Each structure stands twice: as structure tokens, then as C-alpha cells.
Amino acid sequence: MKKYLSLLSFIAFLFIGMQSSVAQDNVRAEAIAKEKTYNLHQLVALSGQQQGEVFKVLVNAEQNLAELNKMNNSNAIKSDGRESINKTIDAELKKILTEEQYVTYKKSLVKEKKK
């Protein structure tokens, strides 16, 4: 009986540890997405609804990037994954932003790449 209790306790601690790790990853992803949303808001003056939608897109992207970085894949596969995530972000932002906002956003990306 004592062995079963020890085993169940060990499993419970393992489960709690895993959930804590996932929660920390989500907090990091949300913090990064919050900062990026704020920066985009400063750039193109997002409405409240746009801010919420952009935040959701960026949280999802940051979580995907975190999972991609955890994988033991080659750099080429990770690069392709990042490119795919960036294309998804771009497509989603194009739906959310007005045409003027989107053009301003794209111009800022070009300036950023030149640096």
C-alpha cells in the first residue's frame, strides 16, 4: 500500500511540474505578444478590437515559436517553421488591419530588416 501511495505521489508531482512549465511558457508568450501588440499600436494606432485580435494572433505565434525552438530539428526545418509562422502572422494581420495600417506595418518591417 505504501508503494502505491509513493507512486501516486510521484506521478502527481510530475504532473504538477509539467503544468507549471506549460503555464510559464504561456506567460512568456503572452508577455512577448503584449509588448509586440503595444509596439504595433504605437505604430498604427490600433482600435480596441484590433488590439484584442492582434494579441490573440501574436500569442498563438509565440507559443508556436516556443514549441518549434524546443524541437530537436535541424536549423533548416526550424527556419522553414519560422517562415511559415511569419507568413501566418502576416496573413492574419492583413485581415485585421486597415489597408493604410497594413502598409505602414510592412514599411516598418522593411526598415527593421535594413538595420
Side-chain angles (χ1 to χ4, degrees):
M1 185 69 163
K2 191 175 180 181
K3 289 180 182 181
Y4 291 120
L5 187 56
S6 297
L7 178 64
L8 289 175
S9 296
F10 177 74
I11 292 172
F13 283 123
L14 227 119
F15 182 71
I16 291 170
M18 285 178 20
Q19 287 210 343
S20 174
S21 174
V22 169
Q24 287 175 352
D25 288 345
N26 286 340
V27 169
R28 282 189 208 116
E30 288 179 5
I32 293 168
K34 190 176 194 179
E35 183 179 339
K36 287 182 177 182
T37 301
Y38 176 76
N39 292 338
L40 186 59
H41 173 64
Q42 294 297 318
L43 182 67
V44 297
L46 298 172
S47 70
Q49 182 179 356
Q50 286 176 318
Q51 286 180 29
E53 292 174 7
V54 166
F55 178 74
K56 288 177 187 176
V57 168
L58 294 176
V59 166
N60 187 34
E62 289 301 325
Q63 289 172 339
N64 289 338
L65 285 170
E67 289 300 316
L68 182 65
N69 289 332
K70 285 181 185 177
M71 298 175 132
N72 292 328
N73 293 329
S74 70
N75 287 335
I77 292 173
K78 286 185 180 182
S79 178
D80 289 344
R82 280 189 213 97
E83 186 177 326
S84 175
I85 291 169
N86 287 334
K87 284 181 181 178
T88 302
I89 292 170
D90 191 57
E92 291 296 318
L93 289 180
K94 191 170 187 174
K95 292 177 191 174
I96 297 168
L97 302 175
T98 65
E99 189 175 331
E100 295 164 355
Q101 290 173 323
Y102 184 74
V103 169
T104 303
Y105 163 71
K106 292 301 276 185
K107 285 180 182 177
S108 74
L109 292 179
V110 171
K111 288 179 186 176
E112 211 173 278
K113 286 183 181 180
K114 288 183 179 178
K115 290 181 180 179

